[in-house]
Amino acid sequence: MTASGWSAEADLVVVGSGVAGLTAALEAAELGLRVVVVTKDAADSGSTRWAQGGVAVVLGDLPGDSVDAHVADTLTAGAGLCDPAAVASILADGPAAVAALRARGATFDADATGRPERTREGGHSAFRVVHAGGDATGAEIERALVATSVGAGLPLLTGHVAVDALRDERGAVAGLAVLDDHGRPGVLRAPAVLLASGGYGQLYASTTNPETSTGDGIALALRAGASAADLEFVQFHPTVLYDGPATGRRPLVTEAVRGEGAVLLDRAGRRFMTDVHPLAELAPRDVVAAAITRKLAETGAECVYLDARGLDGFATRFPTVHAACRAAGIDPTREPIPVTPAAHYACGGVVTDLAGRTAVPGLYAAGEVARTGLHGANRLASNSLLEGLVMGTRAARAVAADLAQLPPPAPVVAPSPAMRTAPRSVVQRAMSNAAGIGRDAAGLAAASDAIEAATELGVPLDRAGVEDAALTLLAQAVLAAAGTRTESRGSHIRTDFPERDDVWQAHSIEIVLNDADQPVVRQESAVGAA
Ligand code: SIN
């Protein structure tokens, strides 16, 4: 579908075409809903295709593992901030979600008997991560879902950025305002909008996320009156390939490389994770990323090294990592891989219930854009693709159920077109300097001031304008949440409050917009509240 300066109708508009978005769209179409998927780039350009490690799921065919053990590992990684009910419920639906994905054409790596192979990643007590194409799991999932969507004739509106949810005078969703690649406006009228637009890694100069990860969905939800929580928990992946100081998306070196035996070395060639955590390189991701950051500060080095020389068949098992290393002139079978942490995953997001409903009638969210309570203060590796599959399915079913009880339409209220925007370079510099691994009150406040000083009110005219406004809003939201949480927990590390503080145990920081459209802390709500 291509159109601009137009108005079209659907039952459900899905924003985003990654694992959560396409799973939801396919499910909704199977339930008989008229669905349109809107995506600002090509259908496969989001974060899903870059996911390497796999899908964490207990399929029940291996002795020695259980959903309960997966739940326990998730709670441990989440550092006291997971919602236990969300964890139990989402992980229990994993096997069915993976079966549905396989029925939609995704193929996982299997042994000679046809049983899926399993790998292990940080924080997992068992080998339970299924993978595809060695380390190309996300690419295979995206391929299968896009092919199924195209085969099913699902309308995919590519090259259109979501600007605002339209709402009626009762506050319920009435559609979505979009801009095309040339800045021409369009409107999709629909009583339900599902946000599946990913995270906000582009807040930082160095990230594993693609250019599309600019937090648009969270910004849109906040402007529509929803709340967001746990935004301070930006997960840094411990190991991206370091090939000199660089910005933008960096090549991931999947945690599965460590899961299969690689070890981290400092620049003197000494293994250091054994001094930090009983699980050494397979400690939860926040622990490993923080240890590497400390090591870099101590030694003044720009990277540490991942020694995978002992692994058999590296090029076959990890073809994506191998190719990235070779492109950078590194042979991982002969030399340790230079690595450094980079922004990777938003553990928080738009607050939803366990069916994907936000507080705004007709607005739903699933996947990285959402905060269900599964991840708490630090996401367990490879739980995100699983969450996208489970919550995408549930959100579609919730939409179908809610549409059956829809009140009669009411007049639509036009949203204010003006947004507060600072230049992306200012935002990324401020966030990278002050809101990475190791933050303090003075740095967070200075970053907020620097962004505020560069912020102007204007009407975004194109995709870049919408993205920059979203990044500006998200930056201030993350800074507000990070400044409020006066402790260190999970992926939020305060150098001025280096310990965990029980006062914060079981409290999520919730962000809303004030009357001036600025993000403010509304409350510290009990974990699990939606
Ligand atoms: C990885 O493969 O290390 C990343 C997987 C994830 O972020 O869950």
Side-chain angles (χ1 to χ4, degrees):
M1 187 196 292
T2 54
S4 286
W6 42 266
S7 173
E9 255 189 54
D11 297 319
L12 168 64
V13 179
V14 175
V15 182
S17 53
V19 60
L22 291 184
T23 299
L26 287 166
E27 183 75 18
E30 283 166 18
L31 291 169
L33 304 188
R34 293 170 305 151
V35 186
V36 177
V37 178
V38 179
T39 177
K40 60 187 177 178
D41 216 317
D44 65 351
S45 59
S47 288
T48 295
R49 73 179 261 222
W50 299 105
Q52 292 187 355
V55 183
V57 62
V58 178
L59 295 175
D61 59 334
L62 295 182
D65 196 14
S66 64
V67 174
D68 284 350
H70 189 183
V71 167
D73 292 346
T74 300
L75 295 173
T76 302
L81 277 198
C82 298
D83 171 2
V87 176
S89 148
I90 293 170
L91 298 187
D93 276 5
V98 170
L101 177 65
R102 293 173 82 178
R104 288 181 174 139
T107 308
F108 288 92
D109 296 334
D111 64 19
T113 67
R115 197 160 71 173
E117 287 176 350
R118 279 5 102 89
T119 190
R120 190 174 166 199
E121 293 181 73
H124 286 278
S125 58
F127 281 74
R128 64 166 73 100
V129 176
V130 296
H131 49 85
D135 59 5
T137 312
E140 168 60 9
I141 291 175
E142 189 68 45
R143 181 206 62 74
L145 290 175
V146 170
T148 306
S149 302
V150 170
L154 202 68
L156 282 170
L157 189 62
T158 57
H160 283 70
V161 65
V163 180
D164 260 315
L166 302 177
R167 289 187 303 141
D168 66 24
E169 40 182 47
R170 292 178 303 230
V173 163
L176 185 76
V178 298
L179 287 177
D180 77 2
D181 274 346
H182 303 283
R184 290 176 298 209
V187 165
L188 287 157
R189 295 194 187 283
V193 170
L194 167 62
L195 302 171
S197 47
Y200 45 87
Q202 290 288 331
L203 274 185
Y204 295 85
S206 172
T207 173
T208 61
N209 292 187
E211 284 178 3
T212 51
S213 298
T214 49
D216 319 350
I218 300 174
L220 183 151
L222 287 169
R223 282 198 300 274
S227 68
D230 295 342
L231 296 181
E232 66 274 33
F233 298 111
V234 178
Q235 183 175 72
F236 280 69
H237 196 286
T239 57
V240 303
L241 182 63
Y242 179 81
D243 53 357
T247 55
R249 194 187 72 76
R250 313 301 308 139
L252 186 64
V253 179
T254 175
E255 202 155 74
V257 176
R258 277 175 279 133
E260 299 195 12
V263 297
L264 285 162
L265 307 175
D266 64 16
R267 71 171 171 191
R270 275 189 300 263
R271 194 172 169 198
F272 56 91
M273 280 309 299
T274 41
D275 300 335
V276 176
H277 195 278
L279 290 171
E281 282 80 6
L282 287 179
R285 194 170 276 180
D286 56 329
V287 175
V288 183
I292 293 174
T293 304
R294 281 196 304 275
K295 183 58 69 183
L296 298 181
E298 260 166 52
T299 60
E302 289 178 324
C303 61
V304 295
Y305 296 88
L306 185 62
D307 189 352
R309 286 174 293 182
L311 272 59
D312 289 335
F314 189 91
T316 318
R317 174 64 185 86
F318 300 110
T320 314
V321 176
H322 187 258
C325 288
R326 296 303 289 160
I330 296 150
D331 181 351
T333 65
R334 292 171 176 274
E335 58 194 314
I337 307 167
V339 290
T340 182
H344 181 59
Y345 193 85
C347 298
V350 182
V351 176
T352 73
D353 66 12
L354 291 182
R357 294 183 183 94
T358 73
V360 176
L363 187 64
Y364 305 78
E368 188 175 358
V369 70
R371 179 272 197 189
T372 58
L374 174 64
H375 307 310
N378 175 55
R379 177 182 60 101
L380 183 66
S382 287
N383 268 356
S384 45
L385 290 173
L386 189 76
E387 186 185 40
L389 292 167
V390 171
M391 291 306 299
T393 306
R394 288 187 185 181
R397 292 177 184 167
V399 171
D402 295 349
L403 290 188
Q405 303 173 13
L406 208 61
V412 172
V413 182
S416 159
M419 297 185 192
R420 296 166 45 78
T421 306
R424 191 175 300 206
S425 56
V426 172
V427 170
Q428 287 182 336
R429 196 175 324 116
M431 294 301 286
S432 303
N433 288 342
I437 302 173
R439 311 153 164 190
D440 62 27
L444 293 166
S448 176
D449 290 347
I451 294 169
E452 185 58 28
T455 297
E456 290 178 3
L457 192 64
V459 177
L461 299 175
D462 54 16
R463 167 179 162 178
V466 174
E467 291 181 339
D468 287 349
L471 286 169
T472 304
L473 195 161
L474 259 295
Q476 293 291 18
V478 171
L479 292 168
T484 302
R485 184 173 285 280
T486 49
E487 66 160 352
S488 291
R489 182 184 296 272
S491 47
H492 169 68
I493 298 170
R494 290 276 303 249
T495 51
D496 48 352
F497 293 94
E499 305 299 331
R500 244 194 231 194
D501 183 343
D502 283 347
V503 167
W504 287 105
Q505 179 81 24
H507 282 285
S508 271
I509 294 172
E510 220 173 320
I511 298 283
V512 291
L513 294 195
N514 65 14
D515 291 343
D517 275 353
Q518 287 165 317
V520 289
V521 173
R522 175 167 74 183
Q523 65 187 53
E524 296 139 25
S525 60
V527 164

